[in-house]
PDB file of all heavy atoms in Angstrom:
ATOM      1  N   LEU A 263       6.694  28.961  25.670  1.00 98.00           N
ATOM      2  CA  LEU A 263       5.528  29.771  26.031  1.00 98.00           C
ATOM      3  C   LEU A 263       4.468  28.872  26.660  1.00 98.00           C
ATOM      4  O   LEU A 263       4.328  27.690  26.234  1.00 98.00           O
ATOM      5  CB  LEU A 263       4.942  30.378  24.755  1.00 98.00           C
ATOM      6  CG  LEU A 263       4.667  31.868  24.737  1.00 98.00           C
ATOM      7  CD1 LEU A 263       5.873  32.648  25.148  1.00 98.00           C
ATOM      8  CD2 LEU A 263       4.212  32.269  23.325  1.00 98.00           C
ATOM      9  N   VAL A 264       3.741  29.367  27.628  1.00 99.00           N
ATOM     10  CA  VAL A 264       2.527  28.664  28.098  1.00 99.00           C
ATOM     11  C   VAL A 264       1.370  29.657  27.962  1.00 99.00           C
ATOM     12  O   VAL A 264       1.358  30.731  28.557  1.00 99.00           O
ATOM     13  CB  VAL A 264       2.668  28.210  29.564  1.00 99.00           C
ATOM     14  CG1 VAL A 264       1.384  27.561  30.065  1.00 99.00           C
ATOM     15  CG2 VAL A 264       3.823  27.199  29.701  1.00 99.00           C
ATOM     16  N   VAL A 265       0.436  29.304  27.083  1.00 98.00           N
ATOM     17  CA  VAL A 265      -0.698  30.165  26.753  1.00 98.00           C
ATOM     18  C   VAL A 265      -1.939  29.499  27.350  1.00 98.00           C
ATOM     19  O   VAL A 265      -2.522  28.620  26.713  1.00 98.00           O
ATOM     20  CB  VAL A 265      -0.819  30.362  25.243  1.00 98.00           C
ATOM     21  CG1 VAL A 265      -1.977  31.308  24.915  1.00 98.00           C
ATOM     22  CG2 VAL A 265       0.496  30.932  24.649  1.00 98.00           C
ATOM     23  N   PRO A 266      -2.350  29.865  28.547  1.00 98.00           N
ATOM     24  CA  PRO A 266      -3.397  29.149  29.258  1.00 98.00           C
ATOM     25  C   PRO A 266      -4.741  29.101  28.514  1.00 98.00           C
ATOM     26  O   PRO A 266      -5.187  30.142  27.994  1.00 98.00           O
ATOM     27  CB  PRO A 266      -3.551  29.905  30.574  1.00 98.00           C
ATOM     28  CG  PRO A 266      -2.330  30.708  30.711  1.00 98.00           C
ATOM     29  CD  PRO A 266      -1.813  30.995  29.360  1.00 98.00           C
ATOM     30  N   GLY A 267      -5.328  27.948  28.460  1.00 98.00           N
ATOM     31  CA  GLY A 267      -6.677  27.755  27.904  1.00 98.00           C
ATOM     32  C   GLY A 267      -6.709  27.666  26.391  1.00 98.00           C
ATOM     33  O   GLY A 267      -7.711  27.242  25.829  1.00 98.00           O
ATOM     34  N   TRP A 268      -5.609  28.044  25.739  1.00 98.00           N
ATOM     35  CA  TRP A 268      -5.637  28.086  24.276  1.00 98.00           C
ATOM     36  C   TRP A 268      -5.139  26.792  23.666  1.00 98.00           C
ATOM     37  O   TRP A 268      -4.527  25.957  24.319  1.00 98.00           O
ATOM     38  CB  TRP A 268      -4.756  29.258  23.794  1.00 98.00           C
ATOM     39  CG  TRP A 268      -5.476  30.598  23.837  1.00 98.00           C
ATOM     40  CD1 TRP A 268      -6.377  30.990  24.790  1.00 98.00           C
ATOM     41  CD2 TRP A 268      -5.413  31.637  22.893  1.00 98.00           C
ATOM     42  NE1 TRP A 268      -6.841  32.235  24.482  1.00 98.00           N
ATOM     43  CE2 TRP A 268      -6.263  32.660  23.324  1.00 98.00           C
ATOM     44  CE3 TRP A 268      -4.675  31.822  21.718  1.00 98.00           C
ATOM     45  CZ2 TRP A 268      -6.427  33.854  22.627  1.00 98.00           C
ATOM     46  CZ3 TRP A 268      -4.819  33.019  21.002  1.00 98.00           C
ATOM     47  CH2 TRP A 268      -5.701  34.022  21.465  1.00 98.00           C
ATOM     48  N   VAL A 269      -5.400  26.649  22.361  1.00 98.00           N
ATOM     49  CA  VAL A 269      -4.903  25.524  21.581  1.00 98.00           C
ATOM     50  C   VAL A 269      -3.406  25.336  21.840  1.00 98.00           C
ATOM     51  O   VAL A 269      -2.635  26.309  21.896  1.00 98.00           O
ATOM     52  CB  VAL A 269      -5.159  25.783  20.087  1.00 98.00           C
ATOM     53  CG1 VAL A 269      -6.653  25.659  19.791  1.00 98.00           C
ATOM     54  CG2 VAL A 269      -4.657  27.140  19.622  1.00 98.00           C
ATOM     55  N   GLY A 270      -2.998  24.058  21.988  1.00 98.00           N
ATOM     56  CA  GLY A 270      -1.613  23.740  22.358  1.00 98.00           C
ATOM     57  C   GLY A 270      -0.574  24.382  21.457  1.00 98.00           C
ATOM     58  O   GLY A 270       0.528  24.715  21.920  1.00 98.00           O
ATOM     59  N   ILE A 271      -0.856  24.524  20.174  1.00 98.00           N
ATOM     60  CA  ILE A 271       0.101  25.106  19.245  1.00 98.00           C
ATOM     61  C   ILE A 271       0.510  26.530  19.627  1.00 98.00           C
ATOM     62  O   ILE A 271       1.604  26.983  19.242  1.00 98.00           O
ATOM     63  CB  ILE A 271      -0.481  25.097  17.798  1.00 98.00           C
ATOM     64  CG1 ILE A 271       0.520  25.609  16.755  1.00 98.00           C
ATOM     65  CG2 ILE A 271      -1.759  25.910  17.691  1.00 98.00           C
ATOM     66  CD1 ILE A 271       1.777  24.763  16.662  1.00 98.00           C
ATOM     67  N   ALA A 272      -0.296  27.221  20.399  1.00 98.00           N
ATOM     68  CA  ALA A 272       0.070  28.571  20.830  1.00 98.00           C
ATOM     69  C   ALA A 272       1.257  28.555  21.788  1.00 98.00           C
ATOM     70  O   ALA A 272       2.045  29.501  21.838  1.00 98.00           O
ATOM     71  CB  ALA A 272      -1.152  29.246  21.518  1.00 98.00           C
ATOM     72  N   SER A 273       1.404  27.425  22.506  1.00 99.00           N
ATOM     73  CA  SER A 273       2.460  27.313  23.546  1.00 99.00           C
ATOM     74  C   SER A 273       3.755  26.884  22.892  1.00 99.00           C
ATOM     75  O   SER A 273       4.195  25.746  23.057  1.00 99.00           O
ATOM     76  CB  SER A 273       2.005  26.362  24.644  1.00 99.00           C
ATOM     77  OG  SER A 273       0.905  26.897  25.323  1.00 99.00           O
ATOM     78  N   ILE A 274       4.363  27.758  22.142  1.00 99.00           N
ATOM     79  CA  ILE A 274       5.564  27.448  21.341  1.00 99.00           C
ATOM     80  C   ILE A 274       6.717  27.006  22.249  1.00 99.00           C
ATOM     81  O   ILE A 274       7.045  27.642  23.229  1.00 99.00           O
ATOM     82  CB  ILE A 274       5.999  28.686  20.509  1.00 99.00           C
ATOM     83  CG1 ILE A 274       4.909  29.018  19.455  1.00 99.00           C
ATOM     84  CG2 ILE A 274       7.354  28.472  19.835  1.00 99.00           C
ATOM     85  CD1 ILE A 274       4.753  27.999  18.321  1.00 99.00           C
ATOM     86  N   LYS A 275       7.312  25.834  21.873  1.00 99.00           N
ATOM     87  CA  LYS A 275       8.428  25.269  22.645  1.00 99.00           C
ATOM     88  C   LYS A 275       9.750  25.785  22.039  1.00 99.00           C
ATOM     89  O   LYS A 275       9.791  26.285  20.940  1.00 99.00           O
ATOM     90  CB  LYS A 275       8.384  23.749  22.564  1.00 99.00           C
ATOM     91  CG  LYS A 275       7.067  23.142  23.067  1.00 99.00           C
ATOM     92  CD  LYS A 275       7.175  21.627  23.251  1.00 99.00           C
ATOM     93  CE  LYS A 275       6.952  20.822  21.993  1.00 99.00           C
ATOM     94  NZ  LYS A 275       6.863  19.367  22.253  1.00 99.00           N
ATOM     95  N   TRP A 276      10.859  25.612  22.776  1.00 98.00           N
ATOM     96  CA  TRP A 276      12.195  25.945  22.287  1.00 98.00           C
ATOM     97  C   TRP A 276      12.208  27.329  21.651  1.00 98.00           C
ATOM     98  O   TRP A 276      12.658  27.545  20.529  1.00 98.00           O
ATOM     99  CB  TRP A 276      12.679  24.911  21.264  1.00 98.00           C
ATOM    100  CG  TRP A 276      12.431  23.496  21.694  1.00 98.00           C
ATOM    101  CD1 TRP A 276      12.972  22.893  22.774  1.00 98.00           C
ATOM    102  CD2 TRP A 276      11.505  22.550  21.086  1.00 98.00           C
ATOM    103  NE1 TRP A 276      12.467  21.606  22.900  1.00 98.00           N
ATOM    104  CE2 TRP A 276      11.578  21.375  21.877  1.00 98.00           C
ATOM    105  CE3 TRP A 276      10.665  22.557  19.991  1.00 98.00           C
ATOM    106  CZ2 TRP A 276      10.820  20.242  21.569  1.00 98.00           C
ATOM    107  CZ3 TRP A 276       9.922  21.450  19.681  1.00 98.00           C
ATOM    108  CH2 TRP A 276      10.007  20.306  20.460  1.00 98.00           C
ATOM    109  N   LEU A 277      11.653  28.275  22.403  1.00 98.00           N
ATOM    110  CA  LEU A 277      11.466  29.628  21.894  1.00 98.00           C
ATOM    111  C   LEU A 277      12.800  30.283  21.541  1.00 98.00           C
ATOM    112  O   LEU A 277      13.744  30.231  22.333  1.00 98.00           O
ATOM    113  CB  LEU A 277      10.779  30.415  23.026  1.00 98.00           C
ATOM    114  CG  LEU A 277      10.095  31.720  22.674  1.00 98.00           C
ATOM    115  CD1 LEU A 277       9.027  31.454  21.620  1.00 98.00           C
ATOM    116  CD2 LEU A 277       9.466  32.274  23.936  1.00 98.00           C
ATOM    117  N   GLY A 278      12.887  30.856  20.368  1.00 98.00           N
ATOM    118  CA  GLY A 278      14.126  31.528  19.940  1.00 98.00           C
ATOM    119  C   GLY A 278      13.921  32.990  19.715  1.00 98.00           C
ATOM    120  O   GLY A 278      14.799  33.821  19.938  1.00 98.00           O
ATOM    121  N   GLU A 279      12.757  33.324  19.199  1.00 98.00           N
ATOM    122  CA  GLU A 279      12.498  34.760  18.924  1.00 98.00           C
ATOM    123  C   GLU A 279      11.017  35.082  18.967  1.00 98.00           C
ATOM    124  O   GLU A 279      10.162  34.192  18.867  1.00 98.00           O
ATOM    125  CB  GLU A 279      13.101  35.197  17.607  1.00 98.00           C
ATOM    126  CG  GLU A 279      12.522  34.442  16.407  1.00 98.00           C
ATOM    127  CD  GLU A 279      13.099  34.995  15.108  1.00 98.00           C
ATOM    128  OE1 GLU A 279      14.274  34.683  14.821  1.00 98.00           O
ATOM    129  OE2 GLU A 279      12.408  35.709  14.414  1.00 98.00           O
ATOM    130  N   ILE A 280      10.750  36.371  19.145  1.00 98.00           N
ATOM    131  CA  ILE A 280       9.376  36.834  19.148  1.00 98.00           C
ATOM    132  C   ILE A 280       9.308  38.100  18.280  1.00 98.00           C
ATOM    133  O   ILE A 280       9.990  39.115  18.613  1.00 98.00           O
ATOM    134  CB  ILE A 280       8.856  37.153  20.563  1.00 98.00           C
ATOM    135  CG1 ILE A 280       8.989  35.908  21.476  1.00 98.00           C
ATOM    136  CG2 ILE A 280       7.424  37.628  20.514  1.00 98.00           C
ATOM    137  CD1 ILE A 280       8.580  36.156  22.916  1.00 98.00           C
ATOM    138  N   GLN A 281       8.577  38.049  17.222  1.00 97.00           N
ATOM    139  CA  GLN A 281       8.331  39.248  16.431  1.00 97.00           C
ATOM    140  C   GLN A 281       7.160  39.999  17.053  1.00 97.00           C
ATOM    141  O   GLN A 281       6.171  39.379  17.428  1.00 97.00           O
ATOM    142  CB  GLN A 281       7.967  38.865  14.975  1.00 97.00           C
ATOM    143  CG  GLN A 281       7.722  40.044  14.075  1.00 97.00           C
ATOM    144  CD  GLN A 281       7.309  39.650  12.669  1.00 97.00           C
ATOM    145  OE1 GLN A 281       7.254  38.475  12.326  1.00 97.00           O
ATOM    146  NE2 GLN A 281       6.996  40.642  11.853  1.00 97.00           N
ATOM    147  N   VAL A 282       7.333  41.313  17.188  1.00 96.00           N
ATOM    148  CA  VAL A 282       6.294  42.155  17.800  1.00 96.00           C
ATOM    149  C   VAL A 282       5.867  43.125  16.718  1.00 96.00           C
ATOM    150  O   VAL A 282       6.666  43.931  16.281  1.00 96.00           O
ATOM    151  CB  VAL A 282       6.832  42.868  19.037  1.00 96.00           C
ATOM    152  CG1 VAL A 282       5.716  43.668  19.696  1.00 96.00           C
ATOM    153  CG2 VAL A 282       7.450  41.905  20.032  1.00 96.00           C
TER     154      VAL A 282
END
Side-chain angles (χ1 to χ4, degrees):
L263 230 53
V264 176
V265 181
W268 278 38
V269 289
I271 184 62
S273 294
I274 294 292
K275 303 192 277 189
W276 315 295
L277 197 59
E279 61 177 74
I280 303 177
Q281 180 183 357
V282 183

